[in-house]
């Protein structure tokens, strides 16, 4: 039953991923503006502080705030990459490379020596990510650069988050993290050019419907995050299993994006020819096996 719940959670996450792509590309929301409203509205988590607040040493508060700033930067680059590429290529590529950077950073900092199964996982994750992302277009290298940068920034964010969350409850640390993420973006409003770009939503298509859809996406994504947090605490739940099943997110994403592109091409654009779909599925399979190998203990 637990495995089925985890798979369902990844299905919901794939829906959220598709909504992000639709809002950015089809409704024409600029990545910086989308990052701002996504992160700042996410800071509503501060309302839980009366029940979650704990006093933390200044060092850990600063680490949480700093990791939040990296989260905002990672999200911006992620949304920028998403705006320029297909959702079924961008997301598997980025999140397949994140654990590769995790292992590399751990080895460089001396926290972890690369084991045999981690090396084997990387030998599957990297080709899988490249296979999913590959396109016979000149723009592929540009997209690849954005996606690699996004994966690196997410890995650095997780590194600082891991250090910052060592003291106190996870929720209390997460609130500090989201405050740091929101503050760095709010600070951008001090610059007129950036303020105009962030708040300039005149060109957004069907603004009222878009606002409702965005809020629904935020609620759905937030509820799914809480759902995952609950699953982690259930008896028998293991992080290795949860991460190992992430391949289902890519499978759902690939299936739904191809289906939408075929049935509702005006909603989302995807290459859905047989060769491209086969190429993506082989890449997903490599990533799936690689993720499982990475979390073998």
């Amino acid at each position: 039953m637990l495995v089925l719940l985890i798979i369902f959670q990844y299905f919901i996450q794939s829906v959220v991923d598709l909504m992000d792509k639709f809002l950015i590309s089809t409704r024409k929301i600029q990545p910086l503006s989308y990052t701002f409203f996504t992160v700042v509205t996410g800071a509503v988590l501060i309302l839980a502080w009366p029940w979650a607040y704990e006093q933390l040493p200044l060092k850990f508060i600063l680490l949480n705030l700093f990791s939040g700033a990296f989260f905002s930067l990672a999200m911006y680059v992620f949304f920028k990459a998403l705006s320029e590429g297909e959702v079924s290529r961008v997301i598997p590529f980025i999140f397949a490379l994140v654990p590769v950077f995790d292992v590399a950073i751990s080895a460089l900092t001396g926290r972890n020596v690369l084991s045999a199964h981690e090396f084997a996982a990387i030998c599957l994750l990297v080709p899988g990510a490249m296979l999913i992302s590959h396109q016979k277009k000149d723009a592929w290298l540009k997209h690849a650069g954005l996606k690699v940068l996004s994966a690196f920034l997410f890995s650095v964010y997780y590194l600082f988050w891991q250090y910052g969350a060592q003291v106190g409850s996870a929720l209390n640390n997460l609130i500090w993290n989201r405050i740091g993420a929101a503050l760095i973006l709010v600070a951008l409003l001090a610059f007129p050019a950036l303020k105009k770009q962030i708040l300039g939503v005149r060109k957004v298509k069907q603004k009222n419907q878009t606002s409702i859809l965005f809020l629904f996406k935020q609620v759905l994504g937030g509820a799914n995050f809480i759902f995952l947090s609950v699953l982690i605490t259930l008896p028998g739940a293991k992080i290795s299993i949860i991460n190992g099943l992430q391949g289902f997110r890519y499978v759902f994403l690939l299936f739904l994006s191809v289906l939408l592109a075929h049935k509702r091409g005006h909603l989302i654009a995807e290459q859905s020819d047989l060769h491209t779909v086969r190429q993506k599925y082989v890449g997903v399979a490599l990533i799936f096996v690689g993720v499982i190998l990475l979390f073998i203990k």
Side-chain angles (χ1 to χ4, degrees), residues 2-3 5-7 9-10 227-234 236-249 288 291 295:
L2 179 60
V3 170
L5 290 174
I6 294 168
I7 293 173
Q9 187 272 331
Y10 282 127
F227 182 46
L228 176 60
S229 301
V230 171
L231 291 179
I232 292 174
T233 64
L234 291 178
K238 295 181 179 179
I239 296 296
S240 58
I241 294 176
I242 292 174
N243 286 321
L245 290 172
Q246 183 155 199
F248 278 99
R249 175 187 179 185
F288 206 151
V291 170
F295 290 96

Side-chain angles (χ1 to χ4, degrees), residues 8-27:
F8 176 73
Q9 187 272 331
Y10 282 127
F11 171 74
I12 299 299
Q13 184 58 52
S14 69
V15 173
V16 173
D17 294 334
L18 285 168
M19 293 176 74
D20 282 330
K21 174 61 177 177
F22 172 77
L23 288 166
I24 292 172
S25 297
T26 305
R27 291 298 170 88

Side-chain angles (χ1 to χ4, degrees), residues 194-270:
L194 293 177
K195 180 179 179 180
K196 183 178 180 181
Q197 185 177 348
I198 291 170
L199 302 181
V201 292
R202 295 178 182 177
K203 296 182 180 180
V204 174
K205 296 182 178 180
Q206 304 178 37
K207 266 192 284 188
N208 290 336
Q209 293 181 12
T210 299
S211 298
I212 294 172
L213 185 61
F214 174 79
L215 290 174
F216 174 74
K217 188 272 302 185
Q218 286 291 87
V219 172
L220 183 63
N224 198 47
F225 176 79
I226 295 172
F227 182 46
L228 176 60
S229 301
V230 171
L231 291 179
I232 292 174
T233 64
L234 291 178
K238 295 181 179 179
I239 296 296
S240 58
I241 294 176
I242 292 174
N243 286 321
L245 290 172
Q246 183 155 199
F248 278 99
R249 175 187 179 185
Y250 309 144
V251 172
F252 288 134
L253 196 56
L254 180 56
F255 174 76
L256 291 174
S257 61
V258 171
L259 182 64
L260 278 174
H262 181 68
K263 299 291 185 180
R264 295 287 188 271
H266 63 286
L267 295 180
I268 188 169
E270 287 272 329

Side-chain angles (χ1 to χ4, degrees), residues 175-188:
I175 293 172
W176 278 112
N177 179 279
R178 290 302 180 257
I179 290 174
L183 285 177
I184 195 69
L185 291 173
V186 171
L188 296 180

Side-chain angles (χ1 to χ4, degrees), residues 11 32 54 70 78 86-87 93 97 113 123 128 132 149 153 190 193 201 206 278:
F11 171 74
L32 182 58
E54 299 175 41
F70 260 96
F78 168 67
E86 296 178 8
V87 63
F93 185 98
L97 290 188
V113 178
C123 290
I132 285 178
L149 177 59
L153 291 172
V201 292
Q206 304 178 37
R278 283 177 176 173

